[in-house]
Coordinates of all heavy atoms in Angstrom, one line a residue:
A91 N 3.7 31.3 -15.2 CA 3.0 32.4 -14.4 C 3.4 33.8 -14.8 O 2.6 34.7 -14.8 CB 3.2 32.2 -12.9
L92 N 4.7 34.0 -15.2 CA 5.2 35.3 -15.5 C 5.1 35.6 -17.0 O 5.4 36.8 -17.4 CB 6.6 35.4 -15.1 CG 6.9 35.3 -13.6 CD1 8.4 35.4 -13.3 CD2 6.1 36.4 -12.8
C93 N 4.8 34.6 -17.9 CA 4.9 34.9 -19.3 C 3.9 35.9 -19.9 O 4.1 36.4 -20.9 CB 4.8 33.5 -20.1 SG 3.2 32.8 -20.2
G94 N 2.8 36.1 -19.1 CA 1.8 37.0 -19.6 C 1.9 38.4 -18.9 O 1.0 39.3 -19.1
S95 N 3.0 38.6 -18.1 CA 3.1 39.8 -17.3 C 3.5 41.1 -18.1 O 3.4 42.2 -17.6 CB 4.1 39.6 -16.2 OG 5.4 39.2 -16.7
G96 N 4.0 40.9 -19.3 CA 4.4 42.0 -20.1 C 4.2 41.8 -21.6 O 4.0 40.6 -22.0
D97 N 4.2 42.8 -22.4 CA 3.9 42.6 -23.9 C 5.2 42.3 -24.7 O 5.1 42.0 -25.8 CB 3.3 43.9 -24.5 CG 1.9 44.2 -23.9 OD1 1.3 43.2 -23.6 OD2 1.5 45.4 -23.9
S98 N 6.4 42.3 -24.0 CA 7.6 42.1 -24.7 C 7.7 40.6 -25.2 O 7.5 39.7 -24.4 CB 8.8 42.4 -23.7 OG 10.0 41.9 -24.3
Y99 N 8.0 40.4 -26.5 CA 8.2 39.1 -27.0 C 9.4 38.4 -26.4 O 9.4 37.2 -26.1 CB 8.3 39.2 -28.5 CG 8.4 37.9 -29.2 CD1 7.3 37.0 -29.3 CD2 9.6 37.5 -29.9 CE1 7.4 35.8 -29.9 CE2 9.6 36.3 -30.6 CZ 8.6 35.4 -30.6 OH 8.6 34.2 -31.2
A100 N 10.5 39.2 -26.2 CA 11.7 38.6 -25.6 C 11.4 38.1 -24.2 O 11.9 37.0 -23.8 CB 12.8 39.7 -25.6
L101 N 10.7 38.9 -23.4 CA 10.4 38.5 -22.0 C 9.5 37.2 -22.0 O 9.7 36.3 -21.2 CB 9.6 39.6 -21.3 CG 9.2 39.3 -19.9 CD1 10.4 39.0 -19.0 CD2 8.4 40.4 -19.3
T102 N 8.6 37.1 -23.0 CA 7.8 35.9 -23.1 C 8.6 34.7 -23.4 O 8.5 33.6 -22.8 CB 6.7 36.1 -24.2 OG1 5.9 37.2 -23.8 CG2 5.8 34.8 -24.3
L103 N 9.6 34.9 -24.3 CA 10.5 33.7 -24.6 C 11.3 33.3 -23.4 O 11.5 32.1 -23.2 CB 11.4 34.1 -25.8 CG 10.7 34.4 -27.1 CD1 11.8 34.7 -28.2 CD2 9.9 33.3 -27.6
V104 N 11.8 34.3 -22.7 CA 12.7 34.0 -21.5 C 11.8 33.2 -20.4 O 12.3 32.3 -19.8 CB 13.2 35.3 -20.9 CG1 13.9 35.0 -19.5 CG2 14.3 35.9 -21.8
C105 N 10.6 33.7 -20.2 CA 9.8 33.0 -19.2 C 9.4 31.6 -19.6 O 9.5 30.7 -18.8 CB 8.5 33.8 -19.0 SG 8.7 35.4 -18.2
V106 N 9.0 31.3 -20.9 CA 8.7 30.0 -21.2 C 9.9 29.1 -21.3 O 9.9 27.9 -21.0 CB 7.9 29.9 -22.6 CG1 6.6 30.6 -22.4 CG2 8.7 30.5 -23.7
A107 N 11.1 29.7 -21.6 CA 12.3 28.9 -21.6 C 12.7 28.5 -20.1 O 13.1 27.4 -19.9 CB 13.5 29.8 -22.1
G108 N 12.4 29.4 -19.2 CA 12.6 29.1 -17.8 C 11.7 27.9 -17.3 O 12.1 27.0 -16.6
S109 N 10.5 28.0 -17.8 CA 9.6 26.9 -17.5 C 10.1 25.6 -18.1 O 10.0 24.5 -17.5 CB 8.2 27.2 -18.1 OG 7.3 26.2 -17.8
G110 N 10.6 25.7 -19.3 CA 11.2 24.5 -20.0 C 12.3 23.9 -19.2 O 12.5 22.7 -19.1
A111 N 13.1 24.8 -18.6 CA 14.3 24.3 -17.8 C 13.8 23.6 -16.6 O 14.4 22.5 -16.2 CB 15.1 25.5 -17.4
G112 N 12.7 24.0 -16.0 CA 12.1 23.3 -14.8 C 11.6 22.0 -15.2 O 11.9 21.0 -14.5
V113 N 11.0 21.9 -16.4 CA 10.5 20.6 -16.9 C 11.7 19.6 -17.1 O 11.7 18.4 -16.8 CB 9.7 20.8 -18.2 CG1 9.4 19.4 -18.8 CG2 8.4 21.5 -17.8
A114 N 12.8 20.2 -17.7 CA 14.0 19.4 -18.0 C 14.6 18.8 -16.7 O 15.1 17.7 -16.7 CB 15.0 20.3 -18.8
A115 N 14.6 19.6 -15.7 CA 15.2 19.2 -14.4 C 14.4 18.1 -13.8 O 14.9 17.2 -13.0 CB 15.4 20.4 -13.5
Y116 N 13.1 18.2 -14.0 CA 12.1 17.3 -13.3 C 12.2 15.8 -13.8 O 12.2 14.9 -13.0 CB 10.7 17.8 -13.4 CG 9.7 16.9 -12.8 CD1 9.4 17.0 -11.5 CD2 9.0 16.0 -13.6 CE1 8.4 16.1 -10.9 CE2 8.0 15.2 -13.1 CZ 7.7 15.2 -11.7 OH 6.8 14.4 -11.2
H117 N 12.1 15.7 -15.1 CA 11.8 14.3 -15.7 C 12.9 13.3 -15.4 O 12.5 12.1 -15.1 CB 11.5 14.5 -17.2 CG 10.1 14.9 -17.4 ND1 9.9 16.2 -17.9 CD2 8.9 14.3 -17.3 CE1 8.5 16.4 -18.0 NE2 8.0 15.2 -17.6
P118 N 14.2 13.5 -15.6 CA 15.1 12.4 -15.3 C 15.1 11.9 -13.9 O 15.0 10.6 -13.7 CB 16.5 13.0 -15.7 CG 16.2 14.2 -16.6 CD 14.9 14.7 -16.1
E119 N 15.1 12.8 -12.9 CA 15.1 12.3 -11.5 C 13.7 11.7 -11.2 O 13.7 10.7 -10.4 CB 15.4 13.5 -10.6 CG 15.4 13.1 -9.1 CD 16.5 12.2 -8.8 OE1 17.3 11.8 -9.6 OE2 16.6 11.8 -7.6
S120 N 12.6 12.2 -11.7 CA 11.3 11.7 -11.4 C 11.2 10.3 -12.0 O 10.5 9.4 -11.4 CB 10.2 12.6 -11.9 OG 10.2 12.6 -13.3
A121 N 11.8 10.0 -13.2 CA 11.7 8.7 -13.8 C 12.5 7.7 -12.9 O 12.1 6.6 -12.7 CB 12.3 8.7 -15.2
R122 N 13.6 8.1 -12.3 CA 14.4 7.3 -11.5 C 13.6 7.0 -10.2 O 13.5 5.8 -9.8 CB 15.7 7.9 -11.1 CG 16.7 7.1 -10.3 CD 17.9 7.9 -9.8 NE 17.5 8.8 -8.7 CZ 17.4 8.5 -7.4 NH1 17.7 7.2 -7.0 NH2 17.0 9.4 -6.6
V123 N 13.0 8.0 -9.6 CA 12.2 7.8 -8.4 C 11.0 6.9 -8.6 O 10.7 6.0 -7.8 CB 11.8 9.2 -7.8 CG1 10.9 9.0 -6.6 CG2 13.1 9.9 -7.3
A124 N 10.3 7.1 -9.7 CA 9.2 6.3 -10.1 C 9.6 4.9 -10.3 O 8.8 3.9 -9.9 CB 8.5 6.9 -11.3
R125 N 10.7 4.6 -10.9 CA 11.2 3.3 -11.1 C 11.4 2.6 -9.8 O 11.1 1.4 -9.6 CB 12.5 3.3 -12.0 CG 13.0 1.9 -12.3 CD 14.2 2.0 -13.2 NE 14.9 0.7 -13.5 CZ 14.6 -0.1 -14.5 NH1 13.6 0.3 -15.3 NH2 15.2 -1.2 -14.7
L126 N 12.0 3.3 -8.9 CA 12.3 2.7 -7.5 C 11.0 2.5 -6.8 O 10.7 1.4 -6.2 CB 13.2 3.6 -6.7 CG 14.7 3.7 -7.1 CD1 15.4 4.8 -6.3 CD2 15.3 2.3 -6.9
A127 N 10.1 3.5 -6.9 CA 8.8 3.4 -6.1 C 7.9 2.2 -6.7 O 7.2 1.6 -5.9 CB 8.1 4.7 -6.2
G128 N 8.0 2.0 -8.0 CA 7.2 1.0 -8.6 C 7.9 -0.3 -8.8 O 7.3 -1.2 -9.4
G129 N 9.1 -0.5 -8.4 CA 9.8 -1.7 -8.5 C 10.2 -2.0 -9.9 O 10.6 -3.2 -10.3
G130 N 10.1 -1.1 -10.9 CA 10.6 -1.3 -12.2 C 9.5 -1.8 -13.1 O 9.7 -2.0 -14.3
G131 N 8.3 -2.1 -12.6 CA 7.2 -2.6 -13.4 C 6.6 -1.6 -14.4 O 6.5 -0.4 -14.1
H132 N 6.2 -2.1 -15.6 CA 5.8 -1.2 -16.6 C 4.4 -0.6 -16.3 O 4.0 0.4 -16.7 CB 5.8 -1.8 -18.0 CG 5.1 -3.1 -18.1 ND1 5.7 -4.3 -18.3 CD2 3.8 -3.4 -18.1 CE1 4.9 -5.3 -18.3 NE2 3.7 -4.8 -18.2
T133 N 3.6 -1.4 -15.5 CA 2.2 -0.9 -15.2 C 2.4 0.3 -14.2 O 1.6 1.3 -14.3 CB 1.4 -2.0 -14.6 OG1 1.3 -3.1 -15.5 CG2 0.0 -1.5 -14.3
A134 N 3.3 0.2 -13.2 CA 3.5 1.3 -12.3 C 4.0 2.5 -13.1 O 3.5 3.7 -12.8 CB 4.5 0.9 -11.3
M135 N 4.9 2.3 -14.1 CA 5.4 3.5 -14.9 C 4.2 4.0 -15.7 O 4.2 5.2 -16.0 CB 6.5 3.0 -15.7 CG 7.2 4.1 -16.5 SD 7.9 5.4 -15.4 CE 9.4 4.5 -14.8
S136 N 3.3 3.2 -16.2 CA 2.2 3.7 -17.0 C 1.3 4.6 -16.2 O 0.8 5.6 -16.7 CB 1.4 2.6 -17.6 OG 0.6 1.9 -16.6
W137 N 1.1 4.3 -14.9 CA 0.3 5.2 -14.0 C 1.1 6.5 -13.7 O 0.4 7.5 -13.7 CB 0.0 4.5 -12.7 CG -1.1 3.5 -12.9 CD1 -1.0 2.1 -13.0 CD2 -2.5 3.8 -13.0 NE1 -2.3 1.6 -13.1 CE2 -3.2 2.5 -13.2 CE3 -3.3 5.0 -13.0 CZ2 -4.6 2.5 -13.3 CZ3 -4.7 4.9 -13.1 CH2 -5.3 3.7 -13.3
F138 N 2.4 6.4 -13.6 CA 3.1 7.6 -13.4 C 3.1 8.5 -14.6 O 2.9 9.7 -14.6 CB 4.6 7.2 -13.1 CG 5.5 8.4 -13.0 CD1 5.4 9.4 -12.0 CD2 6.5 8.6 -14.0 CE1 6.3 10.5 -12.0 CE2 7.3 9.7 -14.0 CZ 7.2 10.6 -13.0
S139 N 3.2 7.8 -15.8 CA 3.1 8.6 -17.1 C 1.7 9.2 -17.3 O 1.6 10.2 -17.8 CB 3.5 7.7 -18.2 OG 4.8 7.2 -18.1
L140 N 0.7 8.4 -16.8 CA -0.7 8.9 -16.9 C -0.8 10.3 -16.3 O -1.5 11.2 -16.8 CB -1.6 7.9 -16.2 CG -3.1 8.4 -16.1 CD1 -3.7 8.6 -17.4 CD2 -3.9 7.4 -15.2
G141 N -0.1 10.5 -15.1 CA -0.2 11.8 -14.5 C 0.2 12.9 -15.4 O -0.5 13.9 -15.4
G142 N 1.3 12.7 -16.1 CA 1.8 13.7 -17.0 C 0.8 14.0 -18.1 O 0.5 15.2 -18.5
N143 N 0.1 12.9 -18.6 CA -0.8 13.1 -19.7 C -2.1 13.8 -19.2 O -2.7 14.6 -19.9 CB -1.2 11.7 -20.3 CG 0.0 11.0 -20.8 OD1 1.0 11.6 -21.2 ND2 0.0 9.7 -20.7
V144 N -2.5 13.5 -17.9 CA -3.7 14.2 -17.4 C -3.3 15.7 -17.2 O -4.2 16.6 -17.5 CB -4.0 13.6 -16.0 CG1 -5.0 14.5 -15.3 CG2 -4.6 12.2 -16.2
G145 N -2.1 16.0 -16.8 CA -1.7 17.4 -16.8 C -1.8 18.1 -18.1 O -2.3 19.2 -18.2
F146 N -1.3 17.4 -19.2 CA -1.5 17.9 -20.5 C -3.0 18.2 -20.8 O -3.4 19.2 -21.4 CB -0.9 17.0 -21.6 CG 0.5 17.2 -21.9 CD1 1.5 16.5 -21.4 CD2 0.8 18.3 -22.8 CE1 2.8 16.8 -21.7 CE2 2.1 18.5 -23.2 CZ 3.1 17.8 -22.6
A147 N -3.8 17.2 -20.5 CA -5.3 17.3 -20.8 C -5.9 18.4 -20.1 O -6.8 19.1 -20.6 CB -6.0 16.0 -20.5
L148 N -5.5 18.7 -18.9 CA -6.1 19.8 -18.1 C -5.6 21.2 -18.5 O -6.3 22.2 -18.2 CB -5.8 19.6 -16.6 CG -6.5 18.4 -15.9 CD1 -6.0 18.2 -14.5 CD2 -8.0 18.5 -16.0

Side-chain angles (χ1 to χ4, degrees):
L92 296 178
C93 73
S95 59
D97 292 334
S98 169
Y99 184 66
L101 177 61
T102 301
L103 296 183
V104 169
C105 289
V106 296
S109 179
V113 170
Y116 175 85
H117 281 107
E119 181 66 3
S120 68
R122 185 190 71 86
V123 171
R125 182 178 176 89
L126 287 174
H132 53 250
T133 304
M135 187 62 75
S136 74
W137 282 102
F138 173 70
S139 300
L140 171 65
N143 302 330
V144 169
F146 266 103
L148 292 177

